[in-house]
Amino acid sequence: MGESVQSGRHWLLVLTGLCLVLGALLGLQVKARVARGDTQMARRTNALVAMVSEARTQIENQRKEIADLRIQLSKYEEEAAAGHGLVKLSEELQNSRAALGLLPMRGPGIELTLDDSAMKADDNGGSSDLFVIHDFDLIGIINELWAAGAEAISLNGQRLVTGSAITCSGRLIQVNKVTIPPPFTFQVIGNQDNLMSALNIRDGALDRLRRLEFVVKLTPKDEVTVPAIAIAPKFRYARPVLEESVP
Amino acid sequence: MIALPIIALLVGFFAVYWLPALPSVWAGYIAICILAGADALIGGLRARLEKRFDEAVFVTGFFANMLIAALLCYVGDKLDVDLYLAVTVALGIRIFTNLGRIRALLVTAQRRRRSSGAAGPE
């Protein structure tokens, strides 16, 4: 009987120790769950995140490959043209390509970086919409840049061409159908003085952002490189008109 | 006396609850560990009621169960097989049977005590 009581007490102590461990684990788990939702969800989310990032790197690699191949093709064409007295034609081809944004460009210009304001909505009770950069802010700046004679512009590595649209879906901004996160960096090739003064004009695009304490960094650069667009535009409806007189 | 393990459970819970959270990658493994630990505790309770309790088996079983369950899940994750489902089902079934067994043992024990009480003092 005495031994049974002894072992009973001992068993209780062991149980207490293990319960402590189990309680600690439960605490960890409940805390993690409170912090970020269901564990099943976490498993699935992790798998999806991995898939998306893998697909993204693949796309990025293929983009680079396309760009490299395009440059190579241009070089071959130049060489072939030189051999056949077609230099003029080849030059025109390169110019057209450059105008379409199919070739990376280099030249003097500016770099402009924008980021959301350090001010918060609750600082003055207003809407937080006031302190983040919107698609229309970027569109306004791009318009200003083209008007000031910009020859090539890229936004977060996306070349802006005639078909480039800046859209906003929820809180995300897309350029060339690629989502770009802040900060937003423009690389612009063109006359530096014209570009700088166009952007810094009083009550212009940057003036309003500076007043609301947005991060605005505008620097002239001796050499700016603007990448080519990833996908060449295709004409599915439009056809060139080759007749003599167009009304 | 019975309150001691329950107090320990609460103390463990709240001691950890105030610490910073682990990364979410761990959440799945900890969930499995909890299940394995609970299974070991309930198994121990049953063994004790059946009077074949062995302390060394109990303690090693508690930790080994957790380790093996987590390991199985890890292997499953690496092989892209949902092995954690297998572990969850296996442990769930065991917890259920053990709890059912404990209930049956408690009921019979209660009945025996009452019938012996009715028979009068020894």
Side-chain angles (χ1 to χ4, degrees):
Chain A
M1 192 66 200
E3 197 197 314
S4 153
V5 167
Q6 184 78 18
S7 85
R9 202 164 284 157
H10 199 175
W11 131 265
L12 207 66
L13 283 180
V14 170
L15 189 66
T16 305
L18 296 191
C19 274
L20 197 72
V21 175
L22 199 67
L25 285 176
L26 271 170
L28 271 181
Q29 185 65 4
V30 169
K31 194 181 168 70
R33 238 194 92 119
V34 167
R36 48 192 126 223
D38 200 86
T39 61
Q40 300 285 311
M41 216 43 187
R43 275 176 193 285
R44 250 165 250 163
T45 314
N46 284 347
L48 286 177
V49 165
M51 270 164 75
V52 168
S53 79
E54 198 178 317
R56 217 170 252 163
T57 42
Q58 221 169 343
I59 289 174
E60 205 45 53
N61 288 341
Q62 281 167 351
R63 283 220 171 104
K64 271 182 200 132
E65 206 180 316
I66 290 173
D68 287 348
L69 288 173
R70 216 177 261 148
I71 291 170
Q72 223 172 332
L73 184 65
S74 289
K75 274 187 195 149
Y76 286 148
E77 278 169 359
E78 242 170 35
E79 279 167 25
H84 290 86
L86 297 169
V87 179
K88 204 79 187 146
L89 193 65
S90 154
E91 257 170 33
E92 204 162 311
L93 189 61
Q94 298 307 357
N95 277 340
S96 305
R97 282 227 175 92
L100 270 176
L102 291 174
L103 294 175
M105 308 291 269
R106 187 177 290 152
I110 58 150
E111 189 182 272
L112 171 64
T113 303
L114 303 171
D115 206 346
D116 295 342
S117 172
M119 277 161 108
K120 288 280 181 305
D122 35 292
D123 286 355
N124 51 16
S127 160
S128 66
D129 274 6
L130 274 173
F131 307 109
V132 296
I133 290 172
H134 289 279
D135 48 338
F136 48 78
D137 294 317
L138 299 177
I139 292 168
I141 287 164
I142 291 164
N143 209 31
E144 206 75 65
L145 289 169
W146 288 132
E151 290 177 0
I153 307 177
S154 75
L155 171 53
N156 283 24
Q158 289 296 318
R159 175 77 169 270
L160 300 181
V161 290
T162 46
S164 293
I166 310 247
T167 55
C168 124
S169 53
R171 312 221 73 177
L172 299 170
I173 292 182
Q174 292 193 319
V175 186
N176 294 347
K177 297 192 177 109
V178 174
T179 304
I180 53 168
F184 302 105
T185 305
F186 288 97
Q187 310 271 2
V188 188
I189 301 176
N191 183 305
Q192 289 177 342
D193 296 334
N194 290 354
L195 292 171
M196 296 286 277
S197 52
L199 287 174
N200 282 328
I201 202 162
R202 188 198 269 264
D203 281 336
L206 293 188
D207 219 13
R208 188 184 67 82
L209 296 179
R210 284 201 181 107
R211 248 180 278 147
L212 288 174
E213 287 180 28
F214 280 82
V215 179
V216 177
K217 259 181 269 167
L218 177 58
T219 43
K221 290 224 158 169
D222 291 338
E223 192 176 89
V224 177
T225 308
V226 173
I229 53 167
I231 299 155
K234 283 205 175 68
F235 293 102
R236 285 165 61 201
Y237 301 101
R239 295 279 173 271
V241 178
L242 295 174
E243 285 98 56
E244 281 293 315
S245 61
V246 178
Chain B
M1 281 285 265
I2 285 294
L4 213 57
I6 295 168
I7 291 169
L9 208 64
L10 290 176
V11 166
F13 184 93
F14 285 107
V16 168
Y17 201 79
W18 304 123
L19 294 176
L22 278 177
S24 63
V25 189
W26 287 66
Y29 297 115
I30 292 172
I32 290 292
C33 280
I34 290 170
L35 214 55
D39 172 58
L41 286 190
I42 291 164
L45 206 63
R46 176 187 167 180
R48 190 162 164 75
L49 287 173
E50 288 178 345
K51 300 209 168 31
R52 50 178 186 81
F53 178 77
D54 184 322
E55 193 185 294
V57 171
F58 181 53
V59 176
T60 51
F62 181 79
F63 291 105
N65 254 14
M66 283 188 180
L67 206 69
I68 290 166
L71 207 67
L72 218 55
C73 285
Y74 178 77
V75 170
D77 271 358
K78 288 292 143 198
L79 293 179
D80 229 350
V81 181
D82 287 343
L83 272 184
Y84 70 94
L85 280 177
V87 176
T88 313
V89 171
L91 289 176
I93 288 173
R94 267 176 56 163
I95 289 174
F96 254 107
T97 30
N98 281 341
L99 281 176
R101 195 69 204 122
I102 286 169
R103 181 180 41 78
L105 284 168
L106 286 178
V107 167
T108 44
Q110 184 73 21
R111 193 172 291 151
R112 195 176 306 141
R113 196 174 306 158
R114 195 172 298 163
S115 66
S116 73
E122 285 179 271

